[in-house]
Amino acid sequence: MNILSNTDLDSFTVTKAYARWAPVYDLVFGAVFERGRQAAVAAAGRIGGRILEVGVGTGISLPLYSSNCRLCGVDISAPMLRKAQERVADLNLANVEGLWVMDAEHLSFPDKSFDVVVAQYVITTVPNPEATLDEFARVLKPGGEIVLVSRIGAEAGLRRSLEHLLQPAARKLGWRTEFSFGRYARWAAQSPDMHLIERRAMPPFGHFNLIRFGKVSAESRLDRSEAVRAAG
Ligand SMILES: C[S@@+](CC[C@H](N)C(=O)[O-])C[C@H]1O[C@@H](n2cnc3c(N)ncnc32)[C@H](O)[C@@H]1O
């Protein structure tokens, strides 16, 4: 039996929280997260092609992408996604292929479906961050990138203690305050095809990071095995 502590996140709590956030989300989190969204969209745009945005929410970042990118969006919250659907219709965003209610941890897309997987302010809101990152890597094509904007918890000190104290309240709002960069680093170290490309501080207060992971392309996998053969 999986017994959750009062600091763990579960899908029911998260879904309930974002149903409450949906009507006011853009007002509360629109401007404050704008720089991070712009940076993530710019990074995704450098790869281009078919892009999956996970935790697309109200679709606030969809108009920022180039019209050349083909966009798919998923979110676990139907009320948040309804806002995204309205935005796509109002702005006539013809490059949006589709928006689906879907759990980030169980994406119903085939392997290697996307050139880029983007998730802004999402990883600290899912119950199983590492399993979710595995799903992102699965649906990503070799040579593609995972582009995240994520809150990064402190490793030690007063901020770490505060984040620990605030975690039970944050859970009810639908996110984690405690999430060190070490979790991302360990996930990448255990994922043979994935490597860290970039980590950059983002506002507000530099407590957020833009993080890019690359998936090894078929050519570089060949290069690697040839190098190993030559060395052996
Ligand atoms: C903090 S909001 C971020 C929304 C948007 N990406 C932005 O830039 O503002 C987190 C979003 O992730 C969604 N989410 C949380 N857990 C999820 C899951 N397991 N699968 C899919 N979406 C999830 C929430 O419903 C919410 O829309």
Side-chain angles (χ1 to χ4, degrees), residues 11 14-15 18 25 29 33 37 53-61 74-77 80 102-105 119-122 125-127 132 174-175:
S11 300
V14 171
T15 313
Y18 283 96
Y25 186 87
F29 297 107
F33 289 157
R37 286 188 199 101
E53 197 174 305
V54 181
V56 65
T58 61
I60 193 163
S61 59
V74 299
D75 201 286
I76 203 163
S77 165
M80 291 286 276
M102 206 183 283
D103 185 347
E105 206 184 319
Q120 300 149 342
Y121 313 103
V122 173
T125 74
V126 299
T132 301
W175 59 79

mmCIF file of all heavy atoms in Angstrom, residues 11 14-15 18 25 29 33 37 53-61 74-77 80 102-105 119-122 125-127 132 174-175, ligand 1:
data_model
loop_
_atom_site.group_PDB
_atom_site.id
_atom_site.type_symbol
_atom_site.label_atom_id
_atom_site.label_comp_id
_atom_site.label_asym_id
_atom_site.label_seq_id
_atom_site.Cartn_x
_atom_site.Cartn_y
_atom_site.Cartn_z
ATOM 1 N N SER A 11 -2.177 12.819 -7.346
ATOM 2 C CA SER A 11 -2.920 13.382 -8.484
ATOM 3 C C SER A 11 -4.224 14.029 -8.039
ATOM 4 O O SER A 11 -4.628 15.068 -8.582
ATOM 5 C CB SER A 11 -3.235 12.296 -9.504
ATOM 6 O OG SER A 11 -2.043 11.756 -9.952
ATOM 7 N N VAL A 14 -3.521 17.481 -6.585
ATOM 8 C CA VAL A 14 -3.057 18.399 -7.640
ATOM 9 C C VAL A 14 -4.232 18.805 -8.536
ATOM 10 O O VAL A 14 -4.421 19.982 -8.849
ATOM 11 C CB VAL A 14 -1.919 17.733 -8.472
ATOM 12 C CG1 VAL A 14 -1.577 18.571 -9.692
ATOM 13 C CG2 VAL A 14 -0.691 17.526 -7.605
ATOM 14 N N THR A 15 -5.051 17.832 -8.912
ATOM 15 C CA THR A 15 -6.187 18.116 -9.800
ATOM 16 C C THR A 15 -7.162 19.071 -9.112
ATOM 17 O O THR A 15 -7.664 20.020 -9.730
ATOM 18 C CB THR A 15 -6.904 16.800 -10.193
ATOM 19 O OG1 THR A 15 -5.921 15.873 -10.586
ATOM 20 C CG2 THR A 15 -7.865 16.997 -11.331
ATOM 21 N N TYR A 18 -5.614 22.659 -9.034
ATOM 22 C CA TYR A 18 -5.615 23.426 -10.290
ATOM 23 C C TYR A 18 -7.029 23.720 -10.796
ATOM 24 O O TYR A 18 -7.219 24.662 -11.567
ATOM 25 C CB TYR A 18 -4.698 22.767 -11.338
ATOM 26 C CG TYR A 18 -3.257 23.083 -10.981
ATOM 27 C CD1 TYR A 18 -2.480 22.191 -10.258
ATOM 28 C CD2 TYR A 18 -2.711 24.332 -11.259
ATOM 29 C CE1 TYR A 18 -1.194 22.508 -9.851
ATOM 30 C CE2 TYR A 18 -1.427 24.664 -10.859
ATOM 31 C CZ TYR A 18 -0.678 23.757 -10.154
ATOM 32 O OH TYR A 18 0.586 24.089 -9.738
ATOM 33 N N TYR A 25 -5.583 31.810 -12.729
ATOM 34 C CA TYR A 25 -4.170 31.438 -12.915
ATOM 35 C C TYR A 25 -3.380 32.510 -13.681
ATOM 36 O O TYR A 25 -2.299 32.928 -13.246
ATOM 37 C CB TYR A 25 -4.060 30.084 -13.637
ATOM 38 C CG TYR A 25 -2.618 29.627 -13.705
ATOM 39 C CD1 TYR A 25 -2.057 28.906 -12.664
ATOM 40 C CD2 TYR A 25 -1.805 29.981 -14.778
ATOM 41 C CE1 TYR A 25 -0.720 28.532 -12.698
ATOM 42 C CE2 TYR A 25 -0.469 29.611 -14.824
ATOM 43 C CZ TYR A 25 0.063 28.890 -13.776
ATOM 44 O OH TYR A 25 1.398 28.531 -13.807
ATOM 45 N N PHE A 29 -0.217 34.152 -11.987
ATOM 46 C CA PHE A 29 1.095 33.615 -12.391
ATOM 47 C C PHE A 29 1.495 34.026 -13.813
ATOM 48 O O PHE A 29 2.490 33.520 -14.331
ATOM 49 C CB PHE A 29 1.083 32.084 -12.305
ATOM 50 C CG PHE A 29 0.868 31.569 -10.912
ATOM 51 C CD1 PHE A 29 -0.342 30.992 -10.545
ATOM 52 C CD2 PHE A 29 1.863 31.681 -9.946
ATOM 53 C CE1 PHE A 29 -0.553 30.519 -9.254
ATOM 54 C CE2 PHE A 29 1.668 31.215 -8.654
ATOM 55 C CZ PHE A 29 0.455 30.638 -8.300
ATOM 56 N N PHE A 33 5.944 34.598 -14.087
ATOM 57 C CA PHE A 33 6.691 33.506 -14.721
ATOM 58 C C PHE A 33 6.996 33.786 -16.199
ATOM 59 O O PHE A 33 7.457 32.887 -16.911
ATOM 60 C CB PHE A 33 5.900 32.193 -14.621
ATOM 61 C CG PHE A 33 5.824 31.614 -13.216
ATOM 62 C CD1 PHE A 33 4.795 30.751 -12.875
ATOM 63 C CD2 PHE A 33 6.786 31.905 -12.268
ATOM 64 C CE1 PHE A 33 4.725 30.194 -11.599
ATOM 65 C CE2 PHE A 33 6.725 31.368 -10.980
ATOM 66 C CZ PHE A 33 5.694 30.501 -10.648
ATOM 67 N N ARG A 37 9.052 31.452 -19.171
ATOM 68 C CA ARG A 37 8.340 30.895 -20.335
ATOM 69 C C ARG A 37 9.015 31.332 -21.636
ATOM 70 O O ARG A 37 9.207 30.532 -22.554
ATOM 71 C CB ARG A 37 6.882 31.376 -20.361
ATOM 72 C CG ARG A 37 6.015 30.723 -19.328
ATOM 73 C CD ARG A 37 4.552 31.096 -19.538
ATOM 74 N NE ARG A 37 3.822 30.832 -18.315
ATOM 75 C CZ ARG A 37 3.477 31.753 -17.425
ATOM 76 N NH1 ARG A 37 3.732 33.027 -17.635
ATOM 77 N NH2 ARG A 37 2.855 31.413 -16.322
ATOM 78 N N GLU A 53 4.095 20.284 -25.171
ATOM 79 C CA GLU A 53 4.161 21.029 -23.915
ATOM 80 C C GLU A 53 3.332 20.276 -22.878
ATOM 81 O O GLU A 53 2.125 20.093 -23.020
ATOM 82 C CB GLU A 53 3.676 22.477 -24.083
ATOM 83 C CG GLU A 53 4.181 23.262 -22.883
ATOM 84 C CD GLU A 53 3.934 24.750 -22.904
ATOM 85 O OE1 GLU A 53 4.332 25.434 -23.873
ATOM 86 O OE2 GLU A 53 3.339 25.216 -21.920
ATOM 87 N N VAL A 54 4.006 19.833 -21.823
ATOM 88 C CA VAL A 54 3.354 19.072 -20.754
ATOM 89 C C VAL A 54 3.028 20.042 -19.619
ATOM 90 O O VAL A 54 3.831 20.898 -19.272
ATOM 91 C CB VAL A 54 4.275 17.942 -20.250
ATOM 92 C CG1 VAL A 54 3.573 17.142 -19.157
ATOM 93 C CG2 VAL A 54 4.689 17.024 -21.389
ATOM 94 N N GLY A 55 1.812 19.894 -19.041
ATOM 95 C CA GLY A 55 1.376 20.857 -18.034
ATOM 96 C C GLY A 55 1.149 22.199 -18.697
ATOM 97 O O GLY A 55 1.502 23.245 -18.161
ATOM 98 N N VAL A 56 0.509 22.142 -19.859
ATOM 99 C CA VAL A 56 0.318 23.357 -20.685
ATOM 100 C C VAL A 56 -0.606 24.356 -19.988
ATOM 101 O O VAL A 56 -0.616 25.544 -20.294
ATOM 102 C CB VAL A 56 -0.198 22.949 -22.094
ATOM 103 C CG1 VAL A 56 -1.588 22.331 -22.010
ATOM 104 C CG2 VAL A 56 -0.190 24.105 -23.067
ATOM 105 N N GLY A 57 -1.374 23.863 -19.012
ATOM 106 C CA GLY A 57 -2.229 24.743 -18.199
ATOM 107 C C GLY A 57 -3.228 25.509 -19.031
ATOM 108 O O GLY A 57 -3.952 24.935 -19.864
ATOM 109 N N THR A 58 -3.260 26.827 -18.845
ATOM 110 C CA THR A 58 -4.215 27.671 -19.565
ATOM 111 C C THR A 58 -3.718 28.009 -20.976
ATOM 112 O O THR A 58 -4.309 28.846 -21.647
ATOM 113 C CB THR A 58 -4.444 28.979 -18.804
ATOM 114 O OG1 THR A 58 -3.178 29.666 -18.718
ATOM 115 C CG2 THR A 58 -4.988 28.749 -17.396
ATOM 116 N N GLY A 59 -2.591 27.393 -21.369
ATOM 117 C CA GLY A 59 -2.056 27.646 -22.715
ATOM 118 C C GLY A 59 -1.387 28.997 -22.841
ATOM 119 O O GLY A 59 -1.203 29.515 -23.946
ATOM 120 N N ILE A 60 -0.947 29.519 -21.704
ATOM 121 C CA ILE A 60 -0.423 30.894 -21.681
ATOM 122 C C ILE A 60 0.818 31.060 -22.558
ATOM 123 O O ILE A 60 1.053 32.136 -23.110
ATOM 124 C CB ILE A 60 -0.165 31.325 -20.213
ATOM 125 C CG1 ILE A 60 0.070 32.811 -20.106
ATOM 126 C CG2 ILE A 60 0.953 30.522 -19.566
ATOM 127 C CD1 ILE A 60 -0.087 33.354 -18.684
ATOM 128 N N SER A 61 1.598 29.973 -22.739
ATOM 129 C CA SER A 61 2.813 30.117 -23.552
ATOM 130 C C SER A 61 2.581 29.785 -25.029
ATOM 131 O O SER A 61 3.457 30.047 -25.854
ATOM 132 C CB SER A 61 3.922 29.232 -22.994
ATOM 133 O OG SER A 61 3.475 27.907 -23.007
ATOM 134 N N VAL A 74 -0.629 18.894 -23.215
ATOM 135 C CA VAL A 74 -1.382 18.011 -22.322
ATOM 136 C C VAL A 74 -1.376 18.605 -20.920
ATOM 137 O O VAL A 74 -0.462 19.324 -20.534
ATOM 138 C CB VAL A 74 -0.795 16.573 -22.273
ATOM 139 C CG1 VAL A 74 -0.829 15.928 -23.642
ATOM 140 C CG2 VAL A 74 0.607 16.535 -21.701
ATOM 141 N N ASP A 75 -2.429 18.277 -20.171
ATOM 142 C CA ASP A 75 -2.518 18.715 -18.774
ATOM 143 C C ASP A 75 -3.463 17.766 -18.043
ATOM 144 O O ASP A 75 -4.419 17.261 -18.631
ATOM 145 C CB ASP A 75 -3.048 20.148 -18.689
ATOM 146 C CG ASP A 75 -2.663 20.799 -17.361
ATOM 147 O OD1 ASP A 75 -3.257 20.461 -16.315
ATOM 148 O OD2 ASP A 75 -1.750 21.651 -17.365
ATOM 149 N N ILE A 76 -3.206 17.586 -16.761
ATOM 150 C CA ILE A 76 -4.059 16.684 -15.972
ATOM 151 C C ILE A 76 -5.346 17.369 -15.542
ATOM 152 O O ILE A 76 -6.323 16.718 -15.174
ATOM 153 C CB ILE A 76 -3.278 16.142 -14.748
ATOM 154 C CG1 ILE A 76 -3.891 14.839 -14.262
ATOM 155 C CG2 ILE A 76 -3.191 17.168 -13.624
ATOM 156 C CD1 ILE A 76 -2.977 14.036 -13.369
ATOM 157 N N SER A 77 -5.371 18.704 -15.625
ATOM 158 C CA SER A 77 -6.527 19.468 -15.141
ATOM 159 C C SER A 77 -7.433 19.893 -16.299
ATOM 160 O O SER A 77 -7.034 20.725 -17.138
ATOM 161 C CB SER A 77 -6.031 20.711 -14.386
ATOM 162 O OG SER A 77 -7.088 21.626 -14.220
ATOM 163 N N MET A 80 -8.121 23.752 -16.374
ATOM 164 C CA MET A 80 -6.992 24.525 -16.918
ATOM 165 C C MET A 80 -6.971 24.368 -18.445
ATOM 166 O O MET A 80 -6.819 25.346 -19.188
ATOM 167 C CB MET A 80 -5.659 24.033 -16.327
ATOM 168 C CG MET A 80 -5.460 24.321 -14.865
ATOM 169 S SD MET A 80 -5.102 26.061 -14.483
ATOM 170 C CE MET A 80 -3.340 26.155 -14.754
ATOM 171 N N MET A 102 -4.304 14.595 -19.929
ATOM 172 C CA MET A 102 -3.405 13.431 -19.865
ATOM 173 C C MET A 102 -2.465 13.594 -18.686
ATOM 174 O O MET A 102 -2.070 14.715 -18.358
ATOM 175 C CB MET A 102 -2.578 13.366 -21.170
ATOM 176 C CG MET A 102 -2.085 12.013 -21.557
ATOM 177 S SD MET A 102 -1.050 12.108 -23.047
ATOM 178 C CE MET A 102 -2.263 12.291 -24.349
ATOM 179 N N ASP A 103 -2.102 12.486 -18.074
ATOM 180 C CA ASP A 103 -1.152 12.504 -16.962
ATOM 181 C C ASP A 103 0.271 12.466 -17.520
ATOM 182 O O ASP A 103 0.602 11.574 -18.310
ATOM 183 C CB ASP A 103 -1.417 11.274 -16.071
ATOM 184 C CG ASP A 103 -0.556 11.263 -14.820
ATOM 185 O OD1 ASP A 103 0.410 12.048 -14.739
ATOM 186 O OD2 ASP A 103 -0.854 10.453 -13.927
ATOM 187 N N ALA A 104 1.084 13.390 -17.086
ATOM 188 C CA ALA A 104 2.471 13.486 -17.568
ATOM 189 C C ALA A 104 3.245 12.188 -17.369
ATOM 190 O O ALA A 104 4.179 11.888 -18.108
ATOM 191 C CB ALA A 104 3.181 14.614 -16.823
ATOM 192 N N GLU A 105 2.845 11.436 -16.375
ATOM 193 C CA GLU A 105 3.577 10.211 -16.054
ATOM 194 C C GLU A 105 3.177 9.051 -16.962
ATOM 195 O O GLU A 105 3.845 8.021 -16.996
ATOM 196 C CB GLU A 105 3.294 9.846 -14.591
ATOM 197 C CG GLU A 105 4.391 9.037 -13.964
ATOM 198 C CD GLU A 105 4.028 8.620 -12.552
ATOM 199 O OE1 GLU A 105 3.458 9.443 -11.800
ATOM 200 O OE2 GLU A 105 4.292 7.468 -12.212
ATOM 201 N N ALA A 119 8.322 21.594 -20.381
ATOM 202 C CA ALA A 119 7.464 21.576 -19.181
ATOM 203 C C ALA A 119 7.901 22.740 -18.290
ATOM 204 O O ALA A 119 9.004 22.721 -17.730
ATOM 205 C CB ALA A 119 7.574 20.256 -18.452
ATOM 206 N N GLN A 120 7.048 23.727 -18.209
ATOM 207 C CA GLN A 120 7.376 24.925 -17.435
ATOM 208 C C GLN A 120 6.605 24.918 -16.129
ATOM 209 O O GLN A 120 5.379 24.859 -16.141
ATOM 210 C CB GLN A 120 6.998 26.170 -18.252
ATOM 211 C CG GLN A 120 7.730 26.236 -19.568
ATOM 212 C CD GLN A 120 6.920 26.922 -20.637
ATOM 213 O OE1 GLN A 120 5.710 27.072 -20.530
ATOM 214 N NE2 GLN A 120 7.574 27.359 -21.682
ATOM 215 N N TYR A 121 7.336 24.940 -15.023
ATOM 216 C CA TYR A 121 6.725 24.996 -13.683
ATOM 217 C C TYR A 121 5.833 23.767 -13.442
ATOM 218 O O TYR A 121 4.766 23.881 -12.860
ATOM 219 C CB TYR A 121 5.915 26.304 -13.521
ATOM 220 C CG TYR A 121 6.673 27.513 -13.993
ATOM 221 C CD1 TYR A 121 6.393 28.114 -15.222
ATOM 222 C CD2 TYR A 121 7.695 28.034 -13.223
ATOM 223 C CE1 TYR A 121 7.124 29.210 -15.671
ATOM 224 C CE2 TYR A 121 8.430 29.129 -13.669
ATOM 225 C CZ TYR A 121 8.136 29.708 -14.894
ATOM 226 O OH TYR A 121 8.858 30.782 -15.337
ATOM 227 N N VAL A 122 6.278 22.622 -13.894
ATOM 228 C CA VAL A 122 5.434 21.417 -13.827
ATOM 229 C C VAL A 122 6.078 20.308 -12.981
ATOM 230 O O VAL A 122 5.376 19.663 -12.185
ATOM 231 C CB VAL A 122 5.137 20.889 -15.260
ATOM 232 C CG1 VAL A 122 4.405 19.561 -15.220
ATOM 233 C CG2 VAL A 122 4.322 21.918 -16.045
ATOM 234 N N THR A 125 5.248 19.785 -9.511
ATOM 235 C CA THR A 125 3.822 19.593 -9.208
ATOM 236 C C THR A 125 3.362 18.156 -9.467
ATOM 237 O O THR A 125 2.187 17.853 -9.237
ATOM 238 C CB THR A 125 2.914 20.543 -10.035
ATOM 239 O OG1 THR A 125 2.869 20.065 -11.385
ATOM 240 C CG2 THR A 125 3.411 21.963 -10.023
ATOM 241 N N VAL A 126 4.260 17.290 -9.988
ATOM 242 C CA VAL A 126 3.808 15.928 -10.298
ATOM 243 C C VAL A 126 4.187 14.983 -9.150
ATOM 244 O O VAL A 126 5.212 15.182 -8.495
ATOM 245 C CB VAL A 126 4.385 15.408 -11.647
ATOM 246 C CG1 VAL A 126 3.937 16.283 -12.798
ATOM 247 C CG2 VAL A 126 5.898 15.311 -11.614
ATOM 248 N N PRO A 127 3.377 13.930 -8.922
ATOM 249 C CA PRO A 127 3.681 13.029 -7.810
ATOM 250 C C PRO A 127 5.038 12.324 -7.951
ATOM 251 O O PRO A 127 5.757 12.164 -6.984
ATOM 252 C CB PRO A 127 2.534 12.009 -7.849
ATOM 253 C CG PRO A 127 1.421 12.718 -8.541
ATOM 254 C CD PRO A 127 2.070 13.649 -9.531
ATOM 255 N N THR A 132 8.167 10.783 -14.433
ATOM 256 C CA THR A 132 7.660 11.730 -15.430
ATOM 257 C C THR A 132 8.773 12.102 -16.412
ATOM 258 O O THR A 132 8.549 12.144 -17.638
ATOM 259 C CB THR A 132 7.106 12.978 -14.703
ATOM 260 O OG1 THR A 132 6.069 12.544 -13.836
ATOM 261 C CG2 THR A 132 6.588 14.012 -15.661
ATOM 262 N N GLY A 174 -0.810 22.724 -4.598
ATOM 263 C CA GLY A 174 -0.505 21.943 -5.797
ATOM 264 C C GLY A 174 0.941 21.952 -6.229
ATOM 265 O O GLY A 174 1.237 21.699 -7.396
ATOM 266 N N TRP A 175 1.898 22.203 -5.310
ATOM 267 C CA TRP A 175 3.303 22.100 -5.705
ATOM 268 C C TRP A 175 4.177 21.784 -4.497
ATOM 269 O O TRP A 175 3.727 21.765 -3.374
ATOM 270 C CB TRP A 175 3.785 23.369 -6.418
ATOM 271 C CG TRP A 175 3.688 24.641 -5.637
ATOM 272 C CD1 TRP A 175 4.546 25.075 -4.673
ATOM 273 C CD2 TRP A 175 2.692 25.662 -5.769
ATOM 274 N NE1 TRP A 175 4.148 26.295 -4.197
ATOM 275 C CE2 TRP A 175 3.015 26.698 -4.856
ATOM 276 C CE3 TRP A 175 1.559 25.819 -6.580
ATOM 277 C CZ2 TRP A 175 2.241 27.835 -4.717
ATOM 278 C CZ3 TRP A 175 0.793 26.975 -6.432
ATOM 279 C CH2 TRP A 175 1.142 27.959 -5.527
HETATM 280 C C1 LIG B 1 2.216 25.727 -12.127
HETATM 281 S S1 LIG B 1 1.183 25.214 -13.429
HETATM 282 C C2 LIG B 1 2.155 25.652 -14.877
HETATM 283 C C3 LIG B 1 1.289 25.973 -16.076
HETATM 284 C C4 LIG B 1 2.039 26.495 -17.298
HETATM 285 N N1 LIG B 1 3.016 25.509 -17.770
HETATM 286 C C5 LIG B 1 2.713 27.817 -17.041
HETATM 287 O O1 LIG B 1 3.755 28.069 -17.646
HETATM 288 O O2 LIG B 1 2.203 28.629 -16.302
HETATM 289 C C6 LIG B 1 1.367 23.453 -13.389
HETATM 290 C C7 LIG B 1 0.489 22.756 -14.405
HETATM 291 O O3 LIG B 1 0.862 21.379 -14.445
HETATM 292 C C8 LIG B 1 -0.312 20.601 -14.472
HETATM 293 N N2 LIG B 1 -0.014 19.272 -13.931
HETATM 294 C C9 LIG B 1 0.249 18.948 -12.652
HETATM 295 N N3 LIG B 1 0.453 17.626 -12.530
HETATM 296 C C10 LIG B 1 0.315 17.100 -13.771
HETATM 297 C C11 LIG B 1 0.402 15.780 -14.296
HETATM 298 N N4 LIG B 1 0.680 14.735 -13.527
HETATM 299 N N5 LIG B 1 0.190 15.604 -15.613
HETATM 300 C C12 LIG B 1 -0.103 16.660 -16.424
HETATM 301 N N6 LIG B 1 -0.200 17.931 -15.975
HETATM 302 C C13 LIG B 1 0.012 18.156 -14.675
HETATM 303 C C14 LIG B 1 -1.303 21.388 -13.619
HETATM 304 O O4 LIG B 1 -2.645 21.004 -13.859
HETATM 305 C C15 LIG B 1 -0.984 22.820 -14.053
HETATM 306 O O5 LIG B 1 -1.732 23.203 -15.181
#
